C-alpha cells in the first residue's frame, strides 16, 4: 500500500513541435484523467484547469522554445498522479529561459507578452522552471487535489 505521498500513476507522451498536435496532447491527458484521476475525487473544474495549463505549457514550448528549431524537434510530456497532487512536466530543447524576467500583466495596463506565464500561475498551485542536466528545459506544473 502506498503512503499518502506515494505516486499512484504516471504516463508519458512524446510529440513533435507542431501546434496541430495540441488536440492529441489534450486527448492523451483526458484519457489519463478518465482512467485514473476521477476516482480520486478530482472535480471536472480542477482537471479543466490542469488541462488548460498543459495546453499553455505545450504551446509555449512550440511557439517560443522551439521557434527556430525544426518541427521534428520533440517535446516530452509526463503526467504523474500522487495521492495529494498531480504533476505535469514538459521538456523542450530550447535555450535556457528565466521566467523571473517576464513582466506580469497589470490590470488596465495592456502589454505584449507575459500572459502565458501569468495564466499558468493562476491556474495551478505551483509552476517551476528548471534546466535539466541534458540541456533541456523542464516546466513543472503542480496542482493539489484539495
Amino acid at each position: 500500500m502506498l503512503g499518502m505521498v506515494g505516486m499512484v500513476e504516471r504516463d508519458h507522451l512524446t510529440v513533435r513541435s507542431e501546434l496541430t498536435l495540441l488536440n492529441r496532447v489534450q486527448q492523451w491527458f483526458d484519457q489519463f484523467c478518465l482512467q485514473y484521476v476521477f476516482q480520486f475525487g478530482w472535480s471536472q473544474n480542477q482537471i479543466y484547469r490542469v488541462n488548460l495549463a498543459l495546453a499553455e505549457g505545450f504551446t509555449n514550448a512550440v511557439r517560443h522554445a522551439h521557434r527556430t528549431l525544426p518541427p521534428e524537434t520533440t517535446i516530452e510530456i509526463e503526467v504523474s498522479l500522487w495521492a495529494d497532487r498531480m504533476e505535469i512536466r514538459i521538456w523542450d530543447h530550447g535555450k535556457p529561459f528565466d521566467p523571473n524576467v517576464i513582466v506580469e500583466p497589470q490590470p488596465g495596463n495592456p502589454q505584449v507578452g507575459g500572459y502565458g506565464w501569468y495564466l499558468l500561475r493562476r491556474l495551478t498551485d505551483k509552476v517551476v522552471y528548471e534546466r535539466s542536466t541534458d540541456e533541456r528545459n523542464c516546466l513543472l506544473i503542480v496542482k493539489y487535489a484539495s
Side-chain angles (χ1 to χ4, degrees):
M1 175 92 182
L2 293 171
M4 279 306 289
V5 292
M7 186 185 299
V8 177
E9 195 58 56
R10 173 187 277 172
D11 201 5
H12 192 268
L13 178 71
T14 303
V15 291
R16 292 158 51 101
S17 297
E18 294 179 33
L19 287 176
T20 54
L21 293 173
L22 176 59
N23 267 354
R24 181 163 160 227
V25 168
Q26 290 188 289
Q27 284 167 357
W28 165 79
F29 177 76
D30 283 339
Q31 194 57 45
F32 180 86
C33 291
L34 283 172
Q35 261 184 290
Y36 308 109
V37 180
F38 283 116
Q39 63 189 337
F40 284 86
W42 286 69
S43 72
Q44 194 74 50
N45 182 48
Q46 286 173 305
I47 289 173
Y48 173 77
R49 292 169 75 95
V50 178
N51 200 339
L52 204 53
L54 167 61
E56 187 59 41
F58 173 76
T59 55
N60 279 350
V62 174
R63 285 194 176 121
H64 302 296
H66 289 183
R67 190 181 54 203
T68 59
L69 300 173
E72 300 78 52
T73 309
T74 56
I75 294 172
E76 283 186 59
I77 306 167
E78 179 185 271
V79 58
S80 46
L81 176 65
W82 299 73
D84 63 339
R85 69 190 182 280
M86 199 182 323
E87 295 180 355
I88 291 180
R89 285 178 172 77
I90 302 171
W91 287 274
D92 68 58
H93 295 271
K95 291 183 171 71
F97 154 77
D98 181 4
N100 297 318
V101 301
I102 295 175
V103 178
E104 285 206 352
Q106 300 301 313
N109 191 9
Q111 70 179 53
V112 176
Y115 290 95
W117 193 250
Y118 174 83
L119 183 63
L120 276 173
R121 290 177 47 191
R122 295 302 174 278
L123 287 170
T124 59
D125 296 312
K126 187 174 165 189
V127 181
V128 180
Y129 167 85
E130 300 164 329
R131 185 74 175 170
S132 58
T133 51
D134 63 357
E135 300 294 300
R136 293 188 300 168
N137 300 318
C138 180
L139 178 67
L140 167 64
I141 300 166
V142 181
K143 181 78 179 154
Y144 288 95
S146 51

